[in-house]
Amino acid sequence: MDRLTFTYATHQIPLECDVYSSSTYPPDSPVFLFFHAGGLVRGARNCVPPWLVQVCIYRQWPLISASYRLFPQANGESLLEDVTAAYEFSRKWGGGAERPVVVGGASAGFFCAALIAHHLQPQPLALLSITGIPTFRHPFFNSSNFIAPECLDELKMRKYLDRSVEVGSEPIAESMIFSPDSLTKSGGRNTGYQHPKPRPIPPSGNLYRYFLSKNAYIPMLGSVDPGFEWAESDSQRLRLANWPITIFIHGNKDVDVGIDVIIEVVRNLGPEKAKLMIAEGQTHLFEATCFLEDKGVAMDTVKCAMKELDEAVSRAQK
């Protein structure tokens, strides 16, 4: 497996993606398009869960991890512009016939994935939410929710509110940066690999908590976020029928994205379109540094979700 970097679009600034692939993969295999975590305000495209890279290697799916412009300098329309370009790049990967794409994301990265299903055609083969945010219309994001460990005011956030337009380059945690050296050539875990010593991470992640406390997300991106209540309307049956099967992986102790958010969306979409895998006792991004070889509740939940994903992709390709 190789990791190559490409500029997939230029929207004010160059937008890059990392492609994990091999020349031995079939030219018509599905592509997995991934959007990183970070509340739309931080994170980096090199923060890909190792287990997800392994999943794609074993299925011979090229994995594309795309950057996107961060908030608040970006807004809903510009985010949609970025994910549209990333989706088009993924569909054309390899230069041959247009390819089917599975789209997923971690945390707010899944909001990017959901935008594709809401606004673009053809639909993805399936969607994968990794402790994700499917919509910001839930009361969790609009109730002055305060989850920061300390008081956050505008003065403390000014550095990030006034920054230039940029993509994510700051990992949520150093341990979340994926290195191809952590895997063997066959895709298994390289037990001899040692992650570099962590460096201090700037506190821009508190911008997510700041926006949450200010109910700021819907004013920034509500124009492109239709939510999921439409899925329960009789007039939207065709739209629901065309919606890709969506697999949710979520911990029931997640305070950054409450599980009630996911339960409501699963209810909206119904059992034919939404599959929820709950990891008991797990918090936000609980699987972010895990490998498929790891034991325990975290990876048991992920493996169950991958069975559902395989079934969804197989069903969509028939």
Side-chain angles (χ1 to χ4, degrees):
M1 178 198 70
D2 299 314
R3 178 172 65 184
L4 301 173
T5 300
F6 298 87
T7 298
Y8 72 84
T10 299
H11 299 155
Q12 297 179 282
I13 57 175
L15 301 176
E16 294 183 330
C17 63
D18 292 333
V19 181
Y20 301 84
S21 189
S22 169
S23 60
T24 63
Y25 290 1
D28 58 350
S29 63
V31 172
F32 194 106
L33 173 60
F34 176 78
F35 296 101
H36 65 77
L40 304 179
V41 299
R42 68 182 298 196
R45 69 177 187 273
N46 59 0
C47 293
V48 184
W51 63 263
L52 181 60
V53 181
Q54 292 179 291
V55 162
C56 292
I57 289 173
Y58 294 147
R59 289 155 181 77
Q60 296 188 307
W61 295 351
L63 169 61
I64 298 177
S65 181
S67 297
Y68 50 87
R69 285 172 288 177
L70 300 181
F71 284 48
Q73 289 70 31
N75 57 26
E77 287 76 13
S78 54
L79 183 63
L80 179 57
E81 183 182 25
D82 294 352
V83 303
T84 297
Y87 189 54
E88 291 176 352
F89 179 90
S90 300
R91 292 180 61 221
K92 296 175 182 177
W93 174 251
E98 291 186 344
R99 300 172 74 147
V101 181
V102 180
V103 187
S107 192
F110 181 68
F111 180 74
C112 299
L115 285 182
I116 290 173
H118 281 305
H119 295 281
L120 303 182
Q121 293 293 333
Q123 287 282 10
L125 290 177
L127 298 179
L128 177 64
S129 170
I130 306 169
T131 67
I133 300 174
T135 175
F136 285 93
R137 293 199 173 276
H138 189 276
F140 180 87
F141 302 102
N142 300 284
S143 302
S144 301
N145 202 349
F146 193 75
I147 58 176
E150 60 182 37
C151 181
L152 298 176
D153 57 31
E154 187 170 329
L155 183 61
K156 290 183 177 180
M157 293 293 100
R158 180 52 54 192
K159 173 182 176 181
Y160 306 105
L161 294 171
D162 292 343
R163 65 189 174 189
S164 301
V165 175
E166 62 182 49
V167 299
S169 59
E170 174 190 305
I172 296 172
E174 194 84 7
S175 60
M176 293 184 184
I177 296 175
F178 172 73
S179 170
D181 292 337
S182 65
L183 300 180
T184 64
K185 290 183 178 180
S186 61
R189 182 175 189 171
N190 177 6
T191 56
Y193 175 77
Q194 292 188 347
H195 206 283
K197 185 177 179 180
R199 298 170 297 173
I201 300 296
S204 66
N206 285 335
L207 193 56
Y208 168 70
R209 295 171 170 85
Y210 174 78
F211 286 151
L212 205 59
S213 69
K214 299 294 185 182
N215 303 328
Y217 275 101
I218 286 300
M220 290 191 291
L221 51 68
S223 61
V224 298
D225 181 2
F228 287 87
E229 290 185 0
W230 59 265
E232 297 188 81
S233 171
D234 288 342
S235 66
Q236 298 294 317
R237 288 180 180 176
L238 180 59
R239 181 180 176 187
L240 179 60
N242 291 329
W243 186 267
I245 292 176
T246 305
I247 293 92
F248 295 90
I249 301 170
H250 219 86
N252 64 351
K253 298 297 183 182
D254 191 333
V255 298
D256 291 285
V257 182
I259 195 166
D260 288 347
V261 177
I262 309 305
I263 290 173
E264 181 171 302
V265 172
V266 169
R267 188 191 71 241
N268 293 150
L269 290 173
E272 291 297 315
K273 292 296 181 179
K275 313 294 180 182
L276 173 57
M277 308 292 125
I278 297 177
E280 294 291 335
Q282 300 300 304
T283 58
H284 197 55
L285 299 174
F286 63 88
E287 43 51 63
T289 61
C290 292
F291 294 78
L292 288 177
E293 293 86 351
D294 292 338
K295 307 295 183 182
V297 171
M299 288 313 298
D300 287 347
T301 304
V302 167
K303 290 171 185 175
C304 287
M306 292 307 95
K307 290 180 181 179
E308 293 286 353
L309 181 63
D310 285 338
E311 291 179 10
V313 169
S314 177
R315 180 175 168 183
Q317 289 184 303
K318 289 182 179 178

